[in-house]
Amino acid sequence: MEYPVMPHGERIVYHALAVFGVLVNLMAIVILFLGKCGRSKCSSCYMVRMAAADLLVVISEPILYRTGQIYFPVSFLFITPMYSFLYFLMITTTMISVWLTVAFTFDRFLVICCEKLKAKYFTEKTAAVVFRSVSVLGCLVFVPWYFRFEPEYKSDNVPWYCITKPVFFTATVWDGNVIICIILVSCVPFFLILFLNVLTTRSILAASRGRRGLRGCSNGEKQKDPEMEIRRKSIILLFSISASFMLLWVTRVVFYIYQRIIKMFSYPVTDPLYVTEVTANMLQLLSTCTNTCIYVLTQKKFRDELKNAVSYPLNQIVKIVKS
């Protein structure tokens, strides 16, 4: 069978995302869970849960939803209830991953800018409550999407494959639900992260000017400020994660809005809109793999733990070979 150029490209990218996404997120979960990266327990809780949510997104979309279509076109994955559940899992885990990024940004904002709330909010218990709340709300919001499809045909009373119900394109209820989901998954998180980062930056700049004045740095001598050094490292981590999220999601946000304006949801693979949608989806999925790379680039202790994790099995193999 001859495939167009774009589907071949999709195959390559989804395979790469599946392998890379599983590896980097598993490494992040293990290293952060051991707690040897110099991060507070509360920060580690958020970062472990973010990596776990990203791993679920990788498993549900590039591996089961996308790759399954290539290698297992006639399998239990395409029984209608299972396919519907997989679709529900895919969009739910995406929402959880997105809102955990928002929660982490808000957590850093409170720690850096609101000293009075730091002791009350900055706890492992709070991080666990936030994670459970985001997970439950994400599941509840997307329950209707499980019922989006109907079977394409039945064989021996088993419903196979899925086609979107005609009512999805005509009912006002579905229009409202689609708009709410787009707002919750794309627009609100995007602008919330941007807004929180602006407030955090303004607070840090004001605090830096104040501390420089108090420490008498006007004479030109450079003095190390431990508090500002800690804040600087936190800001590098926060801004790297936030900037990565916004850059990789901006295409998806703009495309969602444009798609709703023109009311066009299906197009051939040669259409530029198809290419744009696929590219936006791939960039969105790439955002599930970038956090670990950011930890490696910005966190020295994380790099050290990663080196130890990689070198340990190699050292054991060398010992076995020598013996």
Side-chain angles (χ1 to χ4, degrees):
M1 179 176 179
E2 292 293 328
Y3 289 96
V5 174
M6 194 60 195
H8 273 305
E10 287 180 66
R11 287 185 175 205
I12 295 170
V13 174
Y14 285 129
H15 281 70
L17 285 172
V19 175
F20 186 64
V22 169
L23 287 176
V24 296
N25 284 303
L26 278 177
M27 285 192 298
I29 291 170
V30 172
I31 293 173
L32 292 168
F33 183 77
L34 294 176
K36 297 181 180 179
C37 299
R39 307 298 307 175
S40 67
K41 290 184 177 180
C42 184
S43 291
S44 295
C45 283
Y46 277 110
M47 292 161 73
V48 167
R49 287 169 170 81
M50 287 164 63
D54 289 341
L55 179 61
L56 286 175
V57 174
V58 173
I59 292 172
S60 60
E61 185 162 356
I63 295 178
L64 295 177
Y65 187 77
R66 303 289 181 180
T67 310
Q69 296 180 25
I70 300 172
Y71 296 108
F72 309 103
V74 183
S75 67
F76 74 97
L77 292 174
F78 293 95
I79 297 174
T80 304
M82 184 63 192
Y83 187 92
S84 298
F85 175 74
L86 184 58
Y87 184 79
F88 165 77
L89 179 65
M90 182 180 68
I91 57 178
T92 302
T93 52
T94 300
M95 180 177 177
I96 292 171
S97 174
V98 167
W99 277 96
L100 284 178
T101 304
V102 176
F104 179 74
T105 307
F106 184 68
D107 174 82
R108 297 291 88 197
F109 165 74
L110 289 181
V111 169
I112 294 169
C113 305
C114 306
E115 290 290 335
K116 293 181 180 179
L117 295 175
K118 180 177 178 179
K120 181 179 179 181
Y121 181 83
F122 196 57
T123 63
E124 290 182 78
K125 184 178 179 180
T126 302
V129 169
V130 169
F131 174 71
R132 286 195 293 267
S133 301
V134 169
S135 300
V136 170
L137 289 174
C139 292
L140 291 176
V141 166
F142 286 106
V143 164
W145 289 78
Y146 177 84
F147 304 99
R148 170 181 173 172
F149 301 105
E150 62 184 12
E152 189 172 348
Y153 65 88
K154 288 186 178 182
S155 177
D156 296 328
N157 290 324
V158 177
W160 284 93
Y161 300 100
C162 288
I163 56 174
T164 301
K165 295 177 180 177
V167 71
F168 178 81
F169 301 104
T170 57
T172 306
V173 174
W174 270 112
D175 278 342
N177 195 24
V178 169
I179 292 171
I180 290 171
C181 291
I182 290 173
I183 291 172
L184 287 178
V185 174
S186 302
C187 301
V188 172
F190 184 89
F191 291 110
L192 265 179
I193 290 174
L194 181 62
F195 176 68
L196 289 170
N197 281 331
V198 169
L199 292 181
T200 304
T201 303
R202 188 177 67 175
S203 176
I204 288 172
L205 291 175
S208 298
R209 286 194 295 267
R211 290 184 71 86
R212 278 200 300 268
L214 289 173
R215 293 174 66 87
C217 293
S218 57
N219 57 6
E221 296 180 1
K222 292 185 178 180
Q223 301 179 22
K224 287 188 176 181
D225 187 343
E227 177 67 23
M228 292 309 299
E229 187 66 18
I230 292 172
R231 289 193 176 196
R232 185 185 69 82
K233 291 180 179 178
S234 295
I235 285 304
I236 290 173
L237 177 62
L238 171 63
F239 283 8
S240 299
I241 291 175
S242 301
S244 169
F245 173 84
M246 289 189 291
L247 288 173
L248 294 173
W249 270 83
V250 66
T251 308
R252 169 65 78 183
V253 173
V254 173
F255 184 78
Y256 269 149
I257 295 172
Y258 179 74
Q259 194 178 45
R260 299 308 300 178
I261 292 174
I262 65 173
K263 294 187 179 297
M264 191 172 176
F265 307 99
S266 180
Y267 11 77
V269 294
T270 54
D271 194 301
L273 286 176
Y274 175 84
V275 177
T276 304
E277 182 176 29
V278 169
T279 303
N281 190 62
M282 289 177 177
L283 290 174
Q284 172 208 314
L285 289 173
L286 182 61
S287 69
T288 63
C289 309
T290 54
N291 284 353
T292 303
C293 301
I294 290 169
Y295 302 154
V296 170
L297 292 173
T298 62
Q299 307 292 303
K300 183 180 183 301
K301 290 187 177 181
F302 188 93
R303 286 198 299 273
D304 294 338
E305 290 300 316
L306 181 61
K307 289 176 184 177
N308 292 336
V310 173
S311 62
Y312 178 78
L314 296 177
N315 292 335
Q316 296 302 311
I317 293 171
V318 171
K319 287 180 181 179
I320 293 171
V321 171
K322 286 182 177 180
S323 63

